[in-house]
Each structure stands twice: as C-alpha cells, then as structure tokens.
Amino acid sequence: MTRGHLFVISAPSGTGKTSLVKALIEKDPTIMLSISTTTREPRAGEVDGKDYFFVKKEDFDKQKDNDEFLEWAFVYGNFYGTSASLVNASINQGKKVLLEIDWQGAFQIKEKYSKNQLTLIFIVPPSLEHLKKRLQERGQDKNNVVLERLALAEEEMEKSTDFDYIIMNDDFDSAVRELHQIVNRSI
Ligand code: 5GP
C-alpha cells in the first residue's frame, strides 16, 4: 500500500504559523490540511468545516470517548482534536497531510507514527518582543489573553528541541521557502 507522509507544524500563538501554512499550501496544493475539531467559539470570519469543526464540549467528549481523535489537547482554555479517520484515509492514499497543532498534540503523534513517515516542524518568532507586537496587532484577543499567551510562549518554545526542524519566522518569504524545502526533502 502507498503510504503518505505526515507533517506536524507547531508554534506559539502569534508566530505567523497559519499564514505560513496557507502560503505553503499555495506553493504545493497537493498537501492536505487536516481540519481540527474544537470547543472554542468561532472568531469573526471563521467558517465551520473550513477553519475548524466547532462543537460543544459534550460532542467533543463523545468523539474523544469513541477514540475518534488521533490526538487531542487542552490549549489556551479550549479543547482541540485531530480526526483519526480523516488523517488516516489521506495517509493511506499516499497523500501529504499537514497538522497545525500544539506541542502536546505533536508529542502524541510522535508516539503513533514511524520516523520515516513523520516530520515535526516548530516555528519560532525572532523574539518575544516581536511576538507581543504581533499578538497585539492581530487584535483577535483581549489584552489579558495576549499576556497569557506570551507567558505560555516561553514554555512552549522549550519544547521545540524535540522537533525535527525549527524555523524562525523573521522574514516571511524565506520562512515559506524553508518550509517548502523541508516538505520536499522529507518525502
Ligand atoms: P487557535 O484557537 O488560535 O486557532 O489555536 C490555538 C492553538 O491550538 C494553536 O496552537 C493550534 O495549533 C492548536 N490546535 C489547533 N488544532 C489543534 C488540534 O487538533 N490538536 C491540538 N493538539 N492542537 C490544536
């Protein structure tokens, strides 16, 4: 059976991970982006089934209890999980699948897939000052949430040493190029 490859991208909130992933997929449309399930409320402009599957906590728990998640975690006050069936179907079809998930999820995935089938990538900001500015400019979250996420970012960055690659998102275009090269090198 043809087997695909799984790419996990993790980063502290505000590092520009979502924009990087979007640009990568424009460069390589054969990459399938896994859509996670979350108990978080949708932000303005987010679409159910496109950005996330937005569910109530009881539905999340049901899916969790039925072992429907490949991994799940509690991140910044909400639950997030990756659907096992969607990912495994794509992998079994030989596709490249990308998971944009936090480090806790990345570590769970690491336990389940062999090294030659999985690449773990961590994105870091040039500095915590940059990160603070980005989080504030993004204007998505209230100031106390920004400060909370900033405090967590330091902790999260310590986990980066367990990833296969670390990319610094200083210059956006070079970060996209680096990401694209890693994807091409890994398959
Ligand atoms: P946000 O709410 O800002 O979209 O995402 C918050 C954090 O949750 C990000 O670090 C994101 O990567 C992570 N996340 C999103 N989906 C999943 C998932 O399915 N599993 C895990 N473990 N983390 C996720």
Side-chain angles (χ1 to χ4, degrees), residues 144-155:
N144 61 328
V145 176
V146 167
L147 293 177
E148 238 172 65
R149 291 196 171 198
L150 206 57
L152 280 171
E154 264 188 283
E155 256 175 68

Side-chain angles (χ1 to χ4, degrees), residues 9-13 17-18 34-38 40 43 46 52 71-76 78 80-83 100-106 108 138 140-141 149 156:
I9 301 197
S10 300
S13 178
K17 173 183 49 159
T18 306
S34 157
I35 301 170
S36 297
T37 300
T38 183
R40 163 165 85 58
R43 295 190 184 115
E46 282 185 329
Y52 281 104
E71 61 73 35
W72 67 270
F74 185 67
V75 192
Y76 311 136
N78 293 291
Y80 296 83
T82 302
S83 156
E100 198 189 320
I101 61 177
D102 89 316
W103 66 269
Q104 304 172 77
Q108 292 171 51
R138 191 165 74 166
Q140 255 172 12
D141 302 298
R149 291 196 171 198
E156 289 172 64

